[in-house]
């Protein structure tokens, strides 16, 4: 993965010519200012079609076992990227059947003289460089900076990894997204779970930079972390009710007190890597294309 390939992919990531009407780029749904998410409840394509889910943040995606909310079969960034580029129902970038004409249009710029599959590979190379690992949590756990976390966040961390609350039963691993893939291969199948909002299991999303990626859940139904924690607290209450035994046993088994929710929120906010956000801040404006 050469520097030239990554640089080309970065430019293409912000290139609105990679949409049927020249209005959207990859960054329209994956804005650097929002940790490469888009702030919408549900993502919207370049022609105005509403997608069934919101845009997942692109953080440490090089280590993902699969991509997207519902389908575990997309197991590479290159394969995943074909969906937003070529999907027809709903339209995201709308390039289906127009691949050759897009390449011809881009060829007017000497830096873009490349076949369509090379465009996809270059963007994937750039996405693999979106590495985040210097949050207060990382500095506390991996660098021994004991002052990086507040006392409240440390209590929240203990709750997060406790059996009773159970957050880490789904949000495990260094990316807080369950199983991952590295040079040794995948640690297991892509992690899916019942989050208590749908009958269909959803892929477990990363919690890194979560303070920057509202709204939350696959359908963006919760605007704040406080609402998310209230939701899981309610699931804990249901688990104790006579009819509550049917829900995913990895979900909380008891309600959370107001203090516990505040402590968990403090811990979740400690997963924000400000250096990651600053690294791509100069590029954030490039995502503000027409229609954003």
């Amino acid at each position: 993965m050469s520097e030239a390939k990554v640089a080309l992919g970065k430019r293409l990531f912000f290139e609105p010519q990679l949409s049927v009407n020249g209005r959207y780029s990859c960054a329209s749904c994956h804005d650097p200012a929002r940790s490469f998410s888009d702030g919408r409840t549900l993502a919207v394509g370049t022609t105005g079609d509403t997608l069934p889910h919101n845009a997942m943040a692109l953080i440490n995606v090089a280590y993902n076992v699969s991509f997207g909310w519902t389908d575990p079969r997309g197991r590479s960034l290159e394969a995943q990227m074909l969906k937003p580029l070529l999907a027809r129902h709903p339209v995201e970038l709308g390039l289906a059947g127009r691949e050759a004409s897009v390449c011809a249009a881009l060829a007017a710029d000497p830096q873009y003289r490349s076949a369509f599959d090379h465009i996809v590979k270059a963007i994937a190379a750039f996405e693999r460089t979106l590495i985040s690992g210097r949050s207060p949590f990382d500095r506390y756990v991996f660098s021994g900076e004991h002052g990086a976390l507040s006392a409240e966040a440390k209590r929240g961390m203990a709750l997060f990894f406790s059996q009773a609350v159970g957050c880490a039963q789904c949000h495990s691993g260094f990316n807080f997204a369950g199983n991952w893939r590295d040079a040794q291969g995948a640690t297991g199948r892509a992690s899916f779970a019942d989050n208590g909002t749908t009958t269909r299991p959803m892929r477990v999303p990363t919690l890194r930079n979560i303070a920057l990626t509202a709204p939350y859940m696959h359908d963006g139904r919760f605007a704040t972390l406080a609402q998310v924690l209230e939701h899981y607290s309610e699931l804990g209450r249901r688990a104790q009710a006579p009819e509550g035994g049917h829900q995913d046993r990895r979900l909380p088994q008891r309600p959370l007190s107001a203090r516990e929710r505040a402590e968990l929120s403090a811990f979740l906010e400690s997963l924000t890597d400000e250096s990651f956000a600053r690294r791509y801040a100069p590029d954030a404006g490039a995502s503000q294309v027409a229609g954003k």
Side-chain angles (χ1 to χ4, degrees):
M1 195 167 75
S2 68
E3 289 185 11
K5 186 176 184 179
V6 170
L8 173 61
K10 180 178 180 180
R11 186 175 178 190
L12 287 165
F13 188 89
F14 295 97
E15 177 55 71
Q17 289 189 75
L18 287 182
S19 64
V20 63
N21 52 15
R23 296 180 61 204
Y24 261 37
S25 68
C26 301
S28 297
C29 287
H30 300 286
D31 182 354
R34 296 179 180 274
S35 205
F36 293 88
S37 62
D38 73 353
R40 291 190 175 102
T41 301
L42 299 174
V44 177
T46 190
T47 60
D49 285 2
T50 299
L51 278 63
H53 307 116
N54 66 6
M56 299 186 97
L58 302 181
I59 304 166
N60 297 337
V61 290
Y63 299 99
N64 282 7
V65 177
S66 73
F67 301 86
W69 283 104
T70 60
D71 189 351
R73 293 174 297 179
R75 297 179 61 83
S76 73
L77 282 166
E78 289 83 355
Q80 183 277 332
M81 201 175 307
L82 295 177
K83 183 175 180 181
L85 287 169
L86 304 178
R88 298 178 186 268
H89 305 291
V91 168
E92 297 185 46
L93 293 173
L95 297 187
R98 299 179 175 87
E99 297 92 327
S101 61
V102 167
C103 290
L106 291 175
D109 184 331
Q111 296 187 62
Y112 281 158
R113 288 176 182 167
S114 189
F116 190 79
D117 64 328
H118 292 162
I119 290 172
V120 170
K121 291 176 181 177
I123 297 174
F126 167 64
E127 291 178 340
R128 289 188 174 96
T129 69
L130 302 180
I131 301 299
S132 177
R134 287 295 295 166
S135 68
F137 165 82
D138 295 305
R139 294 181 359 242
Y140 172 64
V141 172
F142 301 114
S143 299
E145 296 182 28
H146 295 281
L149 292 191
S150 67
E152 184 179 41
K154 290 175 183 176
R155 292 193 298 271
M157 178 177 170
L159 282 169
F160 185 93
F161 289 103
S162 70
Q163 187 70 26
V165 175
C167 306
Q169 293 192 59
C170 292
H171 293 283
S172 59
F174 81 100
N175 213 32
F176 296 89
N179 287 321
W180 70 92
R181 176 172 51 198
D182 57 22
Q184 304 303 313
T187 59
R189 294 182 297 179
S191 297
F192 281 70
D194 175 3
N195 61 19
T197 65
T198 177
T199 58
R200 182 178 187 179
M202 295 288 163
R203 188 163 72 81
V204 177
T206 181
L207 297 183
R208 286 189 173 274
N209 292 354
I210 193 170
L212 304 178
T213 60
Y216 304 108
M217 314 304 262
H218 65 283
D219 55 5
R221 66 176 60 198
F222 299 128
T224 66
L225 285 174
Q227 291 175 345
V228 174
L229 292 170
E230 288 168 4
H231 164 71
Y232 283 114
S233 182
E234 171 61 18
L235 293 181
R237 186 196 65 78
R238 293 182 196 172
Q240 295 184 331
E243 69 280 5
H246 67 280
Q247 70 183 25
D248 192 322
R249 297 296 296 175
R250 292 174 294 178
L251 294 171
Q253 298 303 299
R254 62 168 178 81
L256 305 169
S257 69
R259 176 175 176 172
E260 287 174 327
R261 294 198 301 272
E263 290 168 345
L264 283 167
S265 182
F267 172 65
L268 292 172
E269 289 177 2
S270 81
L271 302 180
T272 299
D273 178 359
E274 294 184 0
S275 68
F276 179 82
R278 287 195 302 268
R279 191 183 320 152
Y280 298 101
D283 303 308
S287 67
Q288 303 303 314
V289 296
K292 180 78 171 82

